[in-house]
């Protein structure tokens, strides 16, 4: 029988159980996908630990890639044998996952399964950030944080493709080397923001800050911006930013702050497909490199969560199922 990794109740990384499950049956508009690899994301650690309320038992995972094994009766445009990926699947910590056909992204030749599994959430995030939350133009100067992380490395590369000057931060010399290899022009320590940013920009400040850290960096992000600059707060790795006085935006120079989330930039099948085709196309053409930091067997999902929660990883963490059932 197929198997999955299940969270029976809230707990630490050791709470996972391997359980045998029935092979899922796709609904009329769904695909049944044999999982080649699944992406591991922080939201799943919050679901596992009970930070986010979920119904247990839970098979986590919304990101993965694999091969279509069966299509629902109303599915058009996909066939058995097609390779697909998504950041909006159901239960990807398993040998099989169900995926609404309109949320499936075709995987082109030239993109292997593990890369395809590592790309959707972070790649689509980086894509909407540089194209829509603030549309980066050639000559812009941009500050990002965590330049050695999965989103960070993709952001740096996309920003360089748009002709921007990129300033980023890392916490160690080893991570600084990774950020530079991705194309960052300047790599700072976190405590050098905003002073070094002002120095590097001749006192002007940057055009936009992409901030996925949140509470610990928010004030520095505001201080690093030019007059009429934009702060894109797309995450809260250090905690959520507390309520603040909007008059600060006036005082800092008529700033704009936005707090987007990925799903609001994947509103329909056309938007999903456009973003997916663009980001997967850049990978297939060799213009965008996807960094897979660590690979774990699916049975070692707990170890993968522990590695992610330790903040010691760089790039993407993925799970790879063992031998498939017949």
């Amino acid at each position: 029988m197929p198997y999955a990794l299940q969270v029976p109740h809230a707990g630490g990384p050791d709470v996972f159980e391997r359980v045998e499950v029935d092979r899922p049956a796709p609904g009329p508009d769904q695909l049944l996908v044999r999982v080649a690899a699944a992406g591991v994301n922080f939201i799943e650690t919050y679901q596992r630990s009970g930070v986010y309320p979920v119904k247990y038992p839970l098979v986590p995972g919304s990101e993965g890639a694999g091969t279509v094994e069966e299509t629902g009766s109303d599915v058009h445009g996909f066939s058995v044998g097609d390779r697909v990926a998504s950041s909006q699947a159901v239960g990807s910590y398993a040998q099989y996952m169900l995926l609404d056909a309109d949320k499936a992204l075709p995987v082109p030749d030239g993109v292997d399964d593990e890369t395809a599994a590592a790309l959707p959430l972070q790649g689509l995030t980086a894509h909407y950030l540089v194209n829509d939350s603030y549309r980066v133009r050639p000559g812009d100067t941009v500050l990002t944080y965590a330049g050695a992380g999965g989103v960070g490395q993709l952001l740096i590369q996309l920003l360089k493709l748009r002709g921007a000057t990129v300033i980023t931060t890392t916490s160690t010399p080893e991570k600084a080397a990774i950020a530079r290899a991705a194309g960052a022009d300047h790599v700072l320590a976190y405590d050098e923001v905003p002073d070094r940013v002002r120095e590097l920009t001749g006192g002007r400040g940057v055009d936009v800050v992409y901030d996925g850290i949140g509470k610990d960096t928010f004030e520095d992000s505001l201080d690093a911006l030019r007059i009429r600059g934009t702060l894109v707060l797309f995450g809260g790795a250090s905690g959520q930013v507390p309520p603040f006085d909007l008059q600060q935006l006036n005082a800092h120079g008529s700033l704009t702050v936005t707090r987007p989330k990925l799903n609001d930039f994947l509103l329909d099948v056309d938007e999903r497909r456009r973003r997916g085709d663009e980001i997967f196309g850049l990978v297939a053409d060799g213009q965008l490199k996807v960094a897979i930091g660590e690979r774990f067997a699916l049975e070692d999902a707990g170890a993968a969560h522990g590695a992610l929660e330790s903040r010691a990883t760089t790039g993407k963490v993925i799970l790879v199922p063992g031998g498939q059932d017949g």
Side-chain angles (χ1 to χ4, degrees):
M1 290 183 67
Y3 74 94
L5 267 288
Q6 178 178 275
V7 177
H9 53 78
D14 60 350
V15 76
F16 281 101
E17 297 177 343
R18 172 177 166 146
V19 294
E20 291 188 344
V21 295
D22 292 331
R23 174 171 157 145
D29 299 311
Q30 289 185 312
L31 306 174
L32 175 64
V33 178
R34 175 184 279 190
V35 178
V40 180
N41 298 294
F42 266 105
I43 189 171
E44 291 128 35
T45 69
Y46 301 148
Q47 292 167 343
R48 185 215 72 229
S49 64
V51 172
Y52 287 179
V54 295
K55 184 179 179 180
Y56 302 107
L58 170 72
V59 176
S62 61
E63 184 178 40
T67 303
V68 175
E69 290 274 306
E70 187 178 345
T71 64
S73 58
D74 295 337
V75 170
H76 302 283
F78 290 101
S79 302
V80 172
D82 286 349
R83 297 170 62 232
V84 296
S86 185
S87 63
Q88 297 174 297
V90 177
S92 64
Y93 285 25
Q95 287 184 303
Y96 291 93
M97 67 182 183
L98 291 175
L99 174 60
D100 291 346
D102 65 354
K103 296 176 181 176
L105 305 174
V107 177
D109 294 338
V111 179
D112 64 78
D113 288 334
E114 292 189 0
T115 300
L119 185 59
L121 191 145
Q122 294 179 342
L124 295 175
T125 296
H127 186 277
Y128 89 74
L129 289 175
V130 304
N131 286 286
D132 296 286
S133 284
Y134 172 92
R135 188 166 184 83
V136 176
R137 299 174 294 271
D140 280 350
T141 302
V142 179
L143 171 65
T144 75
Y145 293 98
V151 174
Q153 291 185 60
L154 293 172
L155 260 178
I156 290 168
Q157 293 176 79
L158 291 180
L159 290 166
K160 295 308 296 179
L161 288 172
R162 298 297 290 267
T165 298
V166 180
I167 305 170
T168 192
T169 62
T170 61
S171 58
T172 68
E174 293 77 16
K175 290 184 176 182
I178 291 170
R180 289 191 185 94
D185 297 286
H186 307 282
V187 183
L188 311 180
Y190 284 87
D191 61 5
E192 292 183 296
V193 178
D195 293 344
R196 280 283 288 146
V197 172
R198 289 283 174 186
E199 187 178 314
L200 290 168
T201 58
R204 175 178 181 269
V206 296
D207 297 283
V208 60
V209 178
Y210 292 111
D211 186 342
I213 306 299
K215 178 172 64 68
D216 290 352
T217 52
F218 183 73
E219 293 293 338
D220 286 343
S221 294
L222 293 178
D223 289 339
L225 284 166
R226 65 165 170 83
I227 292 174
R228 302 205 316 255
T230 299
L231 169 54
V232 181
L233 181 68
F234 68 96
S238 67
Q240 299 306 313
V241 174
F244 79 106
D245 182 0
L246 290 175
Q247 187 62 21
Q248 289 189 50
L249 303 181
N250 175 301
H252 280 80
S254 301
L255 303 182
T256 298
V257 175
T258 183
R259 180 60 175 92
K261 65 177 184 293
L262 174 59
N263 282 350
D264 288 339
F265 292 83
L266 302 174
L267 289 183
D268 56 44
V269 65
D270 291 336
E271 187 170 43
R272 291 187 201 98
R273 185 64 61 86
R274 174 178 60 82
R275 293 194 195 282
D277 287 350
E278 288 183 18
I279 205 76
F280 276 97
L282 289 171
V283 175
D285 292 344
Q287 297 184 71
L288 187 65
K289 305 295 183 185
V290 180
I292 297 176
E294 293 194 56
R295 298 168 175 81
F296 292 86
L298 177 58
E299 293 89 334
D300 296 328
H305 274 216
L308 196 64
E309 290 174 311
S310 74
R311 310 275 179 175
T313 61
T314 60
K316 185 74 176 187
V317 177
I318 63 170
L319 301 174
V320 180
Q324 305 287 351
D325 76 302

